[in-house]
Every structure is written in structure tokens, then in C-alpha cells.
Amino acid sequence: MVAWDAFAAAEPAFAASVRAAFGADRHALLATLRYDGAPRISGVEPVFHASDLWLFVMPGSVKSADLRRDPRCALHSATSERRCGRHNPAGAAGAAADDAKVSGRAVAVTDPAAAAGFLELLRGRAALPPGPGPELLRLDIAEVATVCATERGAVVRSWRAGEPLRVRHRS
């Protein structure tokens, strides 16, 4: 598994398209594993900060408990028909990823300086509620994938740590 910056260094153009897909909407979906092994989907606002892809979750939330118990997770960008290349007559079909997925492990941020920098960024985006503040996590990345609708079907790009980028055309 690698940090975001290592992935971006290995595949800069692909990383840019993934970041754009997540940047198109502030919200994303996070899949975690419940105590019984069943999947759970929760809303989350991922943030690219410094050299990592960060998550912040409410302390004591089920999302937090899931990630502390089993850090494996998958993050999926918000998908909108307005953004989808095939259904967006005003846009160029296939010009950008319609959705992106990042899988790996959520790792607690324990460095006080890194946490302070990220909290300052969050305070600039929105008012944080009083209290202990959110739990801060970064993603160690195992796999990244995008799907881009085209006039002929879809283009699926995927990357795994230590492997080259794969491109598949689906019709």
C-alpha cells in the first residue's frame, strides 16, 4: 500500500483524473466492514491535503468503530448524471472520469503537527463543532479505479500498488 503522493508520482495523469472526480462534489461514499462482516456505506467528505488523501469522522460514530476494528475500506466519488459523459450532451463524452474508487486502509493520524495542519484546513472550509474534534485518518492506497462513459460503452482504468495502470474498454 502507498500514500497518495506515491500513487500520484507513479501515475500522474490518472491520479489527476481521480482527484478531479472526487473534487467534482464534496461528498463521497465510504464502505467499511461492520462487526459482523457485513458492509456498511456512509457519507464522508474526503480531502486531499499535503501528500495524502484524508478522511475525518465523528468520534464514537459507527464509521469510526468500523475503521478502528478493521481499517479496510473503499471510497467512491459521488456520481451524478449531470457529470456522466454519456448523458451529458453539453460535455465531451469520455473527457473525464464519471466516478472514481480508492480502496485501502484507513490509518489514524497520530502526528500532532500533521493533525494541526489538517484541522486548520478544515476550519477554513467550515465551522467545526465544539468538542474534541473529528478523528483524523489518511488512506493507505491498495487500488484505484475509474469508470468513464463513452459513446461506445465505458473505459475502466485501474491501478494496484506495484503494478502498471490497466485500461479496459467495455461495450
Side-chain angles (χ1 to χ4, degrees):
M1 284 193 229
V2 299
W4 177 264
D5 65 341
F7 160 63
E11 292 293 341
F14 184 49
S17 73
V18 171
R19 190 170 179 156
F22 280 103
D25 192 310
R26 193 170 179 162
H27 299 99
L29 297 173
L30 182 69
T32 58
L33 295 169
R34 295 169 19 145
Y35 68 92
D36 62 359
R40 184 191 318 269
I41 300 290
S42 303
V44 69
E45 295 180 25
V47 177
F48 293 90
H49 174 67
S51 60
D52 284 305
L53 176 53
W54 291 62
L55 303 173
F56 55 102
V57 300
M58 291 174 47
S61 66
V62 292
K63 184 177 1 185
S64 169
D66 288 348
L67 292 170
R68 267 191 258 120
R69 186 179 41 261
D70 186 336
R72 293 177 296 168
C73 61
L75 182 66
H76 193 290
S77 65
T79 302
S80 166
E81 191 170 310
R82 292 185 315 270
R83 269 197 8 241
C84 184
R86 187 184 317 178
H87 301 291
N88 182 0
D98 294 324
D99 57 54
K101 299 170 253 326
V102 178
S103 300
R105 291 181 180 266
V107 178
V109 175
T110 56
D111 175 18
F118 185 66
L119 285 171
E120 189 63 32
L121 174 75
L122 289 182
R123 285 186 188 96
R125 290 176 52 156
L128 292 177
E135 290 184 35
L136 305 179
L137 308 161
R138 64 175 185 77
L139 285 184
D140 273 347
I141 299 169
E143 184 174 6
V144 181
T146 62
V147 177
C148 182
T150 67
E151 293 174 3
R152 294 186 169 155
V155 177
V156 179
R157 290 177 176 81
S158 60
W159 176 90
R160 290 183 183 192
E163 296 180 15
L165 179 67
R166 291 181 56 195
V167 179
R168 295 176 307 280
H169 297 269
R170 306 274 168 119
S171 52

